[in-house]
Amino acid sequence: MALAVLDGGLLTTVQDLGRPGYERYGVPVCGAMDRFALQAANSLVGNHLGEAALEMTVLGPRLRAEHDCLIALAGADLGPRVDERPVAGWRTHRLRRGQMLDFTGPAHGCRGYLAVAGGFAIDPVLGSRSTFLRGRWGGVEGRALQAGDLLRLRDPNPDQPGRAGGAVAPADVPRYVHELTVRVVLGPQDDLFTPAGIDTLLGSVYEVGAESDRMGYRLRGPRVEHRAGADIVSDGVVMGSVQVPGDGQPIIMMADRQTTGGYTKIATVATADLPLLAQCQPGVGRVRFARVTEAVAVELLRDMERRLARLAGPRAYRLYDLATAGGEYAEQE
Amino acid sequence: MLYDEPRFLSAGECALVVEFGDSVSREANAKAVALAGALRDLSPAGVGEAVPSYRSVLVHYDPLRVGREALILRLQALLAEGLADRPVEPRRREIPTAYGGELGPDLASVAELVGLPEAEVVRLHAEQVYTVYMIGFLPGFPYLGLVPERIAVPRLEAPRLKVPAGSVAITGRQTGVYPVESPGGWRVIGRTPAPLFNPRRDPPTYLGPGDQVRFVPISAERFAELAGLPEAELWP
């Protein structure tokens, strides 16, 4: 069973929930930028929620089903069509052998997810099928999809059939906006900024630079003022860490971020807001920051997990998956 | 400077930083590496990876399973028990290194900058036993310290676009090895045929935080011989 790639689109990569647990070796976590949409797509086709799917950026790929298969689309509306007939997102579709799936262009958001029942027959690297573009390994040969690729599929799990005709209720579909307010918790180096600097961050609008990518979102706007320089002894960063180098322009660390950084970090984006941030299109979107306490950020996370549980039912997987020494990320083959 | 008490800093609602000092120091790093190791061994419920760096540990946790305050108390208890100070026998590693010439294009300029013959720079670099303070920047890139003051030099004014894989380099009191070809601004004084990173192995790096490392000088001919060997001979 396979999907043939006739055109790879702008940047289409295989991503799952990443490979946490190897950051002490300098290995980035990678994985889907919008972890909510990835899990929603997987839930629709009856996959393990952390199964690998295609992450499609702005301009989607052109694919041909080499066999009958069940797919689901979630995340950004990139203008999906089956045999040139528009189809809806946040639902499943049966593709018959020979049918084409392509995308006419983004309407809302910038990252779409395509899950296939059963997942892809790709060997995991360090426990994950996520693509590490910078290292050129993981996923499909560590690169974006291109014409001529053949994506072999694994057999769907007969005990967890996807809901053919299944869809996410409209009330549960996230709304993507051009100007997004992200909630942040201050720290760890907020004490290395002046009060004016913190006010600037929390009171300004920033453009998401066109060069923003899976490593980080580079923001343009009013300079955030440091007390005494932007350099620190390098330490760990998380997805959502807001670094501010000497030029005062914030950079939000994203999925492919390096594991350590030597610039002051003023705040961290609440995990629940990361999926929305990932849908803010580089060169188009704008971001504002709103300060929240850790307690509020935890409630936002709890709320998001409840929404995911509603979509997925009792098989709900955690939105934020940890790698304990034993490994919580269990795969179903 | 080592703090009297570690600081607990917020890195969002799913991670916290345990900071032992405000600068690079062996003691702060030893505590960080030890705490990260202890957490890895204990594997407490709701706690994810503990990532050590120069003078702190980033502890990932699930706030829906363990509260921040409870976690801090747990970490303080661990530190009070002296777990972080318990000496763990460090792993020892050797890095065979061919110094100078085409494999170490900056050795000549380093020697000139510090006013020593090249052979003396090599001797000073190679006789030191280094600690891996942390791994970062690239998968498998080790930050090793401390390079003897006598041969401490600043970074290149303009970084190279391509530093070959295996390059052994220095900047200030740090030395490191580029596991893969990469841009880089450190001064390249030699090259090792030993592979440092392989994502198909687990753990995927030859070196780990806390390891004690020596660079062992070899000839260019020996480099060529070793470079042709299968990985398992250099990284058992």
Side-chain angles (χ1 to χ4, degrees):
Chain A
M1 293 202 6
L3 287 175
V5 181
L6 304 180
D7 186 308
L10 183 64
L11 177 69
T12 304
T13 57
V14 173
Q15 302 290 347
D16 54 23
L17 289 173
R19 49 182 69 82
Y22 296 95
E23 292 186 87
R24 76 172 67 80
Y25 303 118
V27 179
V29 178
C30 301
M33 290 279 275
D34 179 347
R35 295 162 69 98
F36 181 85
L38 170 82
Q39 292 182 84
N42 276 321
S43 78
L44 286 167
V45 290
N47 284 347
H48 189 255
L49 299 198
E51 187 57 73
L54 299 185
E55 176 178 273
M56 309 172 289
T57 315
V58 181
L59 300 175
R62 204 148 74 91
L63 306 170
R64 184 180 63 226
E66 301 295 271
H67 303 86
D68 291 3
C69 58
L70 183 73
I71 65 161
L73 296 166
D77 176 359
L78 300 182
R81 306 187 305 180
V82 174
D83 284 348
E84 299 185 357
R85 197 177 27 89
V87 295
W90 297 92
R91 66 179 308 125
T92 57
H93 299 283
R94 280 216 174 279
L95 290 184
R96 298 257 161 266
R97 177 183 176 156
Q99 283 194 306
M100 304 279 257
L101 173 69
D102 71 357
F103 299 82
T104 55
H108 302 287
C110 62
R111 289 181 170 91
Y113 293 83
L114 168 64
V116 186
F120 296 102
I122 291 172
D123 289 337
V125 180
L126 292 173
S128 164
R129 295 185 170 90
S130 289
T131 309
F132 177 32
L133 288 166
R134 207 152 170 252
R136 300 207 282 261
W137 50 265
V140 175
E141 298 170 8
R143 57 170 174 78
L145 297 189
Q146 61 198 24
D149 285 339
L150 191 67
L151 300 170
R152 287 183 217 283
L153 310 176
R154 307 202 316 274
D155 292 330
N157 185 340
D159 297 329
Q160 286 177 342
R163 298 176 274 144
V168 172
D172 288 332
V173 173
R175 306 274 169 250
Y176 304 136
V177 294
H178 281 311
E179 187 171 300
L180 176 69
T181 298
V182 289
R183 275 84 50 110
V184 295
V185 177
L186 292 186
Q189 282 95 34
D190 52 319
D191 57 335
L192 297 183
F193 294 84
T194 62
I198 295 181
D199 286 345
T200 304
L201 184 81
L202 299 176
S204 306
V205 181
Y206 289 89
E207 291 172 4
V208 178
E211 73 280 22
S212 300
D213 61 8
R214 285 184 47 88
M215 276 190 70
Y217 267 33
R218 297 178 164 266
L219 305 183
R220 269 198 250 296
R223 291 180 62 123
V224 174
E225 186 184 62
H226 295 87
R227 275 192 202 279
D231 293 344
I232 55 165
V233 176
S234 292
D235 65 359
V237 301
V238 301
M239 185 162 173
S241 287
V242 183
Q243 278 193 343
V244 185
D247 62 3
Q249 304 291 274
I251 306 173
I252 308 179
M253 300 288 101
M254 298 298 265
D256 289 359
R257 69 199 173 280
Q258 290 170 313
T259 54
T260 56
Y263 295 125
T264 45
K265 294 177 290 299
I266 190 170
T268 313
V269 176
T271 304
D273 281 351
L274 289 171
L276 294 172
L277 183 61
Q279 295 295 349
C280 219
Q281 189 172 341
V284 173
R286 292 186 300 279
V287 169
R288 287 181 180 277
F289 294 96
R291 177 187 185 173
V292 294
T293 60
E294 272 195 49
V296 168
V298 172
E299 285 317 302
L300 292 171
L301 183 63
R302 197 188 308 275
D303 178 66
M304 172 154 278
E305 302 241 345
R306 280 197 199 112
R307 273 187 283 138
L308 194 59
R310 259 206 316 276
L311 294 184
R315 284 179 284 107
Y317 202 77
R318 307 311 304 289
L319 173 69
Y320 182 78
D321 299 310
L322 297 170
T324 58
E328 264 198 334
Y329 185 57
E331 289 209 285
Q332 286 177 5
E333 291 302 326
Chain B
M1 184 198 80
L2 192 69
Y3 302 143
D4 291 330
E5 293 296 325
R7 298 172 76 201
F8 294 88
L9 308 172
S10 163
E13 82 289 354
C14 295
L16 63 83
V17 177
V18 185
E19 191 176 86
F20 294 98
D22 65 359
S23 51
V24 179
S25 83
R26 285 205 68 165
E27 294 142 304
N29 183 250
K31 285 179 189 289
V33 172
L35 178 61
L39 285 171
R40 196 177 173 194
D41 291 339
L42 283 171
S43 195
V47 178
E49 188 180 8
V51 187
S53 53
Y54 274 111
R55 39 91 192 217
S56 62
V57 187
L58 180 73
V59 182
H60 291 276
Y61 67 98
D62 181 349
L64 302 183
R65 286 175 70 186
V66 55
R68 182 174 185 264
E69 296 311 317
L71 178 60
I72 291 177
L73 286 174
R74 184 83 192 263
L75 292 170
Q76 284 173 324
L78 258 180
L79 291 168
E81 277 172 47
L83 240 154
D85 296 316
R86 220 172 37 194
V88 173
E89 189 55 36
R91 206 169 56 167
R92 293 175 200 286
R93 291 293 212 218
E94 287 188 346
I95 311 271
T97 302
Y99 284 92
E102 282 180 10
L103 300 172
D106 295 327
L107 180 62
S109 58
V110 170
E112 197 182 315
L113 270 170
V114 302
L116 289 173
E118 284 186 28
E120 186 62 8
V121 173
V122 172
R123 190 187 68 79
L124 285 166
H125 183 260
E127 76 175 6
Q128 185 75 298
V129 177
Y130 299 96
T131 301
V132 179
Y133 278 80
M134 71 171 189
I135 307 210
F137 163 57
L138 286 170
F141 183 99
Y143 286 85
L144 300 154
L146 290 165
V147 167
E149 283 269 25
R150 190 67 186 85
I151 56 171
V153 288
R155 283 161 206 260
L156 292 171
E157 281 185 10
R160 286 189 173 84
L161 280 176
K162 289 187 196 202
V163 176
S167 291
V168 174
I170 56 176
T171 192
R173 303 295 303 275
Q174 302 168 97
T175 183
V177 187
Y178 289 84
V180 293
E181 182 183 271
S182 153
W186 292 26
R187 295 194 194 246
V188 178
I189 59 175
R191 199 182 303 179
T192 180
L196 283 169
F197 175 71
N198 182 346
R200 284 170 179 78
R201 294 177 66 128
D202 197 342
T205 62
Y206 182 55
L207 300 177
D211 285 354
Q212 301 296 297
V213 178
R214 293 193 80 114
F215 293 90
V216 177
I218 60 173
S219 66
E221 291 73 31
R222 184 73 180 129
F223 174 94
E225 273 172 47
L226 290 175
L229 290 180
E231 180 185 275
E233 301 225 16
L234 291 160
W235 177 358

